[in-house]
Amino acid sequence: MDPGTEDVLDAVGPRLRALRRDRGITLADLAAATGVSESTLSRLESGQRRATLELLLPLARIYDVPLDDLVGAPRTGDPRIHLKPVHRFGMTFVPLSRRPGGTHAFKMIIPARPEPLEPVPQTHEGFEWLYVLNGRLRLVLGERDLTLPPGEAAEFDTSLPHWLGSADGGAVELLILFGQQGVRSHVRATSHSPFQG
């Protein structure tokens, strides 16, 4: 087996483990959903068992990702990115990042409505950073009720009750970075100018 193929196969296990943990699925749940034994899944994730098509196909189906993503295969041919929008709570989320684990990036679209919705704050584990591209975003965060115009950003712990919607009934587009609890966005500034010698 050539070294390139060996490297690809060695990376499958850690990628599968990260994807399962990111989705909050136990090995027992995954075994029940796929029909693959818990011990086989464990050995696959630890690299003690080689990935086969027979093992990867049910995992790709459960995780709803292309088989190429599970093995980290390089994209060939068509250079276009085919994003799969997700529709939740009357909004559209377009995933911009594809790797399992870590911080996830989304473009979020809140459609225009004749009348703005009433806030229904939610909580969940994680940390969120957002940037308004177009429209006026209403962000209800705990006791605060904020309106963010295009170009403004906010970050918050999602364990605080929060709600995102249109401030005036118009459509809103924003970028969102979401990470698990403890994962925050960092902007690094340097005092060193690239134009100094």
Side-chain angles (χ1 to χ4, degrees):
M1 188 180 301
D2 71 85
T5 303
E6 190 81 30
D7 291 344
V8 168
L9 290 175
D10 287 344
V12 170
R15 187 175 291 109
L16 290 173
R17 180 181 292 118
L19 185 57
R20 179 178 58 79
R21 289 180 176 168
D22 183 53
R23 302 284 173 96
I25 301 173
T26 66
L27 278 173
D29 292 340
L30 192 56
T34 61
V36 178
S37 75
E38 200 172 329
S39 65
T40 298
L41 291 169
S42 176
R43 286 183 294 144
L44 186 61
E45 287 186 0
S46 67
Q48 296 172 354
R49 171 134 187 197
R50 284 286 184 202
T52 64
L53 201 52
E54 183 181 331
L55 292 172
L56 292 177
L57 281 174
L59 293 172
R61 208 169 15 256
I62 292 298
Y63 292 137
D64 192 28
V65 297
L67 193 57
D68 286 355
D69 286 3
L70 293 184
V71 297
R75 301 251 174 236
T76 58
D78 190 347
R80 294 175 294 179
I81 297 171
H82 301 282
L83 303 172
K84 288 175 107 175
V86 176
H87 304 281
R88 287 195 189 130
F89 315 112
M91 297 176 273
T92 302
F93 296 83
V94 181
L96 302 176
S97 58
R98 297 168 52 92
R99 74 179 179 88
T103 301
H104 295 273
F106 298 90
K107 178 178 182 182
M108 180 177 165
I109 302 163
I110 302 170
R113 298 185 182 279
E115 293 188 23
L117 293 173
E118 278 302 308
V120 181
Q122 304 286 325
T123 62
H124 52 88
E125 196 171 300
F127 201 85
E128 195 163 294
W129 178 91
L130 58 86
Y131 177 84
V132 181
L133 296 168
N134 292 303
R136 293 170 49 80
L137 176 72
R138 181 177 178 194
L139 170 61
V140 176
L141 185 60
E143 299 297 316
R144 301 183 74 184
D145 195 334
L146 307 165
T147 298
L148 284 71
E152 282 203 350
E155 65 177 343
F156 55 92
D157 184 328
T158 55
S159 65
L160 290 172
H162 61 282
W163 179 85
L164 304 174
S166 174
D168 54 15
V172 183
E173 294 180 38
L174 56 148
L175 294 177
I176 293 179
L177 296 179
F178 174 78
Q180 295 301 318
Q181 195 60 40
V183 178
R184 297 185 60 165
S185 301
H186 297 281
V187 177
R188 183 169 297 172
T190 178
S191 58
H192 172 69
S193 168
F195 302 107
Q196 293 177 342

